[in-house]
Amino acid sequence: MDVLLSWNGTTITRDSSERKKNEIFSSFLWSLAGIPLVLFGLVMIMVVVDFLMKYWVRPRVMKWRMARQGVFGPTPSFMMGNLREMEKMKDEETSNHMQGVRHDIVSRLLPHYVRWSKLYGKRFIFWWGIEPRMSVTEPDLIKEILCSKHSLYYGKSYLQQRGVRDFIGKGLVMANGESWAHQRRVVAPAFSLEKIKSQVQHMVDSTLEMSDRWKGIVDGGGGSAEVEVSKDFSCLAGDIIARSIFGRNFEEGRKIFQQLTSLQKLSSQAGRYQWLPISRFLLVSVNSKIRKLKFEVENSLQDIIQARVDEYEEQKKSYGDDLLGLMLSQAYEGKSKKLRMQQVIDECKTFFFAGHDTTAMLLAWTMMLLASNPSWQEKARNEILTVCGTDLPDIDSLANLKIVGMIVNESLRLYTPASLLARQAQRDMKIGGLRIPKGLSVWIPTLAIHHDKEIWGTDADEFKPQRFAEGVAKACKHPMGFLPFSYGPRSCVGQNYTLMETKLVLALILTRFSFRLSPNYKHAPVFVLTLKPKHGVHLILENYGFASPGPF
């Protein structure tokens, strides 16, 4: 053993020196090994703190801030907010169909609103999972939210965007702030009245195909037959929007929209759990189907869009006169692209959802109302025959169908497809004397406002199209009382398209068929993204005297 040092009775050998070095090196390695554990611990602490802030602290702070301003509401439970309570009330109300055809449907579809507005007043706060929402029904406050200079700072919340991201993405309906303003400028020109005139023929062609099929069913039934019309209107609206968007690519568009319909149903199923932070790990098979279907839809749309762009670059003529072509002419105008490919794809998916489901349900509810009110059905039919004669209706004659317009407005009021409007404050602001903190969503229950007796009178739950005889402005006590397409800068860009399509389809049907409610009809409105008839709309159709399709 080599002696390295001997002093004052202490001897250090080479072996002990090596051991010392090894001990120091081992200690260093253990220190390095502990760094990831420390980092992991810090990350976990941050995750826990963030979790507690989102799910525990923030809801209570928001509740306290609004309570100081006199806005109260039900106590939220951890993570779920008031969802369990809301779902329980809704399930109890919609478990059975209504007795008879009655239009007092607010307590059925918005039972939580009815209960909480009685307890806490016209303004109250509740929680959709971890998202705080304040219910607002005061017309002046609604006007300030939707129409004031602050309207740009009210957008769609993260939970809203997350719930529909797979089937409509970040199209115009879900965009916020400057992104929304930019997309609106690009998309809106395609829906001007002059532009959508070119889409009327698509509406006529699809409706005549459906009415020919109905006529075959009626003739086969000896002059009358039962038809469940809501499914047919869903197919009709899908065909029309496919023709309108894709024109010559109609068959490809039809396949895409069949896939989008399936994607919408799957997204709605998965959306029930979107408020959970681990929702993406639930319903593994459903989420897998969603991803696969979304990939197929977006690839197909990209192929169609790219083919249009390539064709234009080769021929330098036009992108086409359908909605896709009109949008591309705006989006790709000049040397710089105003929208990326993904944005164009998302807008196409948004057109489908907004132009398909809304119109289909509007037609279904209007037919139900006319079937249960034969005198108004006859008034509408006589007006159509007077204005259009035996010719097919055109854009000018549609504008002169005043009674039909009154009926459609009353249908929109009683059974508005979008039963609520939600806007989330993107920053702190003050409106109507209230300080609205960033992150608070303002919930406007459109259906409840449309049935409000203070705004519409004691007959608010009755079908009375005559209330619109002097126009929308004089139909109720406040312009914010009628919001089927929202209001202000963020109002629905496709409302002219929807109203034109609805009036045209009704005109073609009413001159070919008379109809009444089937004994099998069960009145059961439910809310599934839009307001739908749970058991369909069963009607007895009879031939009325098929109008000869004259020149268009």
Side-chain angles (χ1 to χ4, degrees):
M1 182 182 295
D2 297 334
V3 177
L4 296 181
L5 179 63
S6 178
W7 178 78
N8 200 23
T10 303
T11 301
I12 299 176
T13 65
R14 188 180 299 277
D15 287 346
S16 63
S17 175
E18 290 296 331
R19 283 198 303 273
K20 194 71 174 178
K21 288 179 182 178
N22 290 337
E23 288 173 3
I24 293 171
F25 185 66
S26 297
S27 178
F28 176 70
L29 289 178
W30 275 108
S31 298
L32 288 178
I35 291 174
L37 293 175
V38 171
L39 291 176
F40 178 76
L42 290 173
V43 169
M44 289 305 298
I45 290 171
M46 291 171 65
V47 169
V48 171
V49 169
D50 182 64
F51 182 84
L52 290 174
M53 287 295 295
K54 283 183 179 178
Y55 293 91
W56 185 265
V57 178
R58 183 169 167 266
R60 279 150 183 79
V61 170
M62 191 76 75
K63 183 179 175 66
W64 174 76
R65 290 181 68 178
M66 298 311 297
R68 289 187 64 188
Q69 302 181 75
V71 180
F72 302 95
T75 301
S77 61
F78 182 60
M79 289 181 62
M80 287 195 67
N82 302 112
L83 275 173
R84 186 185 288 113
E85 195 176 350
M86 293 166 65
E87 289 297 322
K88 182 181 179 182
M89 284 188 276
K90 193 179 294 185
D91 288 344
E92 288 174 354
E93 291 292 336
T94 58
S95 58
N96 295 309
H97 62 272
M98 299 176 72
Q99 296 300 314
V101 180
R102 306 192 333 264
H103 311 307
D104 52 335
I105 60 175
V106 178
S107 59
R108 174 184 174 86
L109 298 171
L110 303 174
H112 47 289
Y113 163 78
V114 174
R115 179 180 298 182
W116 292 335
S117 61
K118 289 179 180 178
L119 289 173
Y120 306 110
K122 291 188 174 182
R123 302 174 187 174
F124 60 84
I125 188 169
F126 65 101
W127 268 259
W128 183 270
I130 63 167
E131 181 183 291
R133 293 184 173 183
M134 181 177 68
S135 176
V136 172
T137 56
E138 297 139 289
D140 289 332
L141 191 57
I142 292 172
K143 184 176 182 180
E144 196 167 352
I145 292 166
L146 298 180
C147 309
S148 74
K149 62 182 180 180
H150 300 295
S151 60
L152 185 62
Y153 301 108
Y154 278 99
K156 298 303 174 72
S157 71
Y158 169 72
L159 284 183
Q160 286 179 289
Q161 292 174 331
R162 184 177 170 186
V164 298
R165 66 186 173 190
D166 292 312
F167 74 91
I168 66 174
K170 291 185 178 180
L172 186 62
V173 171
M174 285 295 147
N176 284 335
E178 292 298 333
S179 176
W180 167 82
H182 172 68
Q183 288 173 239
R184 177 89 178 195
R185 285 193 295 270
V186 174
V187 172
F191 286 92
S192 67
L193 199 56
E194 284 301 313
K195 296 293 186 183
I196 61 177
K197 282 182 180 180
S198 62
Q199 311 307 317
V200 173
Q201 191 61 52
H202 298 314
M203 300 175 187
V204 171
D205 293 342
S206 294
T207 307
L208 289 179
E209 287 178 13
M210 184 189 73
S211 64
D212 285 346
R213 184 162 49 81
W214 281 4
K215 187 175 189 301
I217 295 172
V218 171
D219 289 344
S224 68
E226 180 175 320
V227 176
E228 199 288 278
V229 298
S230 68
K231 290 181 181 177
D232 286 340
F233 283 140
S234 185
C235 293
L236 171 66
D239 273 6
I240 290 175
I241 199 68
R243 291 179 193 267
S244 295
I245 294 178
F246 295 114
R248 63 180 182 273
N249 303 106
F250 162 61
E251 289 299 334
E252 294 174 73
R254 177 184 277 177
K255 292 176 185 176
I256 290 170
F257 289 143
Q258 288 171 349
Q259 292 175 312
L260 275 172
T261 301
S262 300
L263 187 57
Q264 180 181 341
K265 291 177 181 177
L266 289 169
S267 296
S268 178
Q269 184 179 346
R272 291 177 64 90
Y273 304 94
Q274 67 184 9
W275 52 273
L276 281 171
I278 59 168
S279 60
R280 63 181 179 273
F281 302 115
L282 300 174
L283 301 174
V284 175
S285 62
V286 172
N287 287 324
S288 177
K289 290 177 184 177
I290 287 174
R291 286 192 296 271
K292 181 181 177 182
L293 204 50
K294 179 185 177 184
F295 179 79
E296 292 174 0
V297 166
E298 294 196 347
N299 271 0
S300 298
L301 284 170
Q302 183 170 337
D303 289 343
I304 293 175
I305 294 165
Q306 191 60 53
R308 291 285 186 96
V309 174
D310 293 342
E311 184 180 337
Y312 174 79
E313 290 177 351
E314 288 176 11
Q315 301 178 3
K316 299 296 181 183
K317 289 183 179 180
S318 168
Y319 289 105
D321 60 356
D322 49 29
L323 289 179
L324 176 60
L326 294 172
M327 182 174 64
L328 286 175
S329 67
Q330 294 290 322
Y332 285 23
E333 190 180 46
K335 294 183 180 180
S336 61
K337 296 179 180 179
K338 294 182 180 179
L339 291 180
R340 300 188 308 275
M341 174 63 78
Q342 185 60 49
Q343 288 177 308
V344 177
I345 289 171
D346 286 348
E347 295 302 349
C348 288
K349 293 193 291 183
T350 299
F351 289 171
F352 166 73
F353 172 69
H356 165 258
D357 212 33
T358 301
T359 307
M361 292 305 102
L362 174 57
L363 283 165
W365 290 120
T366 305
M367 288 286 284
M368 182 278 294
L369 289 167
L370 289 175
S372 53
N373 292 273
S375 62
W376 279 101
Q377 182 183 153
E378 195 60 29
K379 287 177 184 178
R381 184 178 291 110
N382 290 337
E383 180 186 57
I384 294 163
L385 292 173
T386 301
V387 172
C388 303
T390 58
D391 292 336
L392 291 169
D394 58 21
I395 194 73
D396 296 320
S397 59
L398 288 176
N400 292 323
L401 297 178
K402 306 299 182 184
I403 292 175
V404 174
M406 289 158 52
I407 291 169
V408 170
N409 280 337
E410 184 69 341
S411 179
L412 281 168
R413 184 185 73 84
L414 289 172
Y415 295 91
T416 180
S419 296
L420 62 89
L421 296 171
R423 299 283 189 271
Q424 187 179 65
Q426 305 297 302
R427 67 179 191 182
D428 291 344
M429 60 187 70
K430 188 175 181 179
I431 289 183
L434 278 177
R435 294 188 180 276
I436 308 295
K438 179 182 178 181
L440 177 64
S441 287
V442 177
W443 185 67
I444 304 171
T446 314
L447 187 71
I449 294 168
H450 285 185
H451 288 254
D452 191 332
K453 291 179 171 58
E454 291 182 13
I455 297 174
W456 292 94
T458 55
D459 58 357
D461 291 327
E462 298 176 29
F463 176 70
K464 289 191 172 182
Q466 62 267 33
R467 68 177 86 243
F468 290 96
E470 297 182 61
V472 172
K474 295 185 178 180
C476 59
K477 297 178 181 179
H478 198 286
M480 293 299 106
F482 190 60
L483 301 167
F485 299 102
S486 186
Y487 204 87
R490 285 201 72 137
S491 61
C492 177
V493 72
Q495 61 180 298
N496 287 333
Y497 180 94
T498 296
L499 291 173
M500 181 186 295
E501 179 182 342
T502 302
K503 292 172 76 171
L504 187 144
V505 172
L506 289 173
L508 291 174
I509 290 174
L510 282 164
T511 54
R512 288 157 173 75
F513 304 98
S514 60
F515 45 92
R516 64 184 187 275
L517 286 178
S518 165
N520 295 319
Y521 174 70
K522 295 178 181 178
H523 193 52
V526 291
F527 186 67
V528 184
L529 293 179
T530 55
L531 185 57
K532 291 180 169 63
K534 185 176 182 179
H535 305 294
V537 177
H538 293 264
L539 302 180
I540 304 296
L541 299 183
E542 296 178 352
N543 287 324
Y544 182 75
F546 210 80
S548 60
F552 187 75

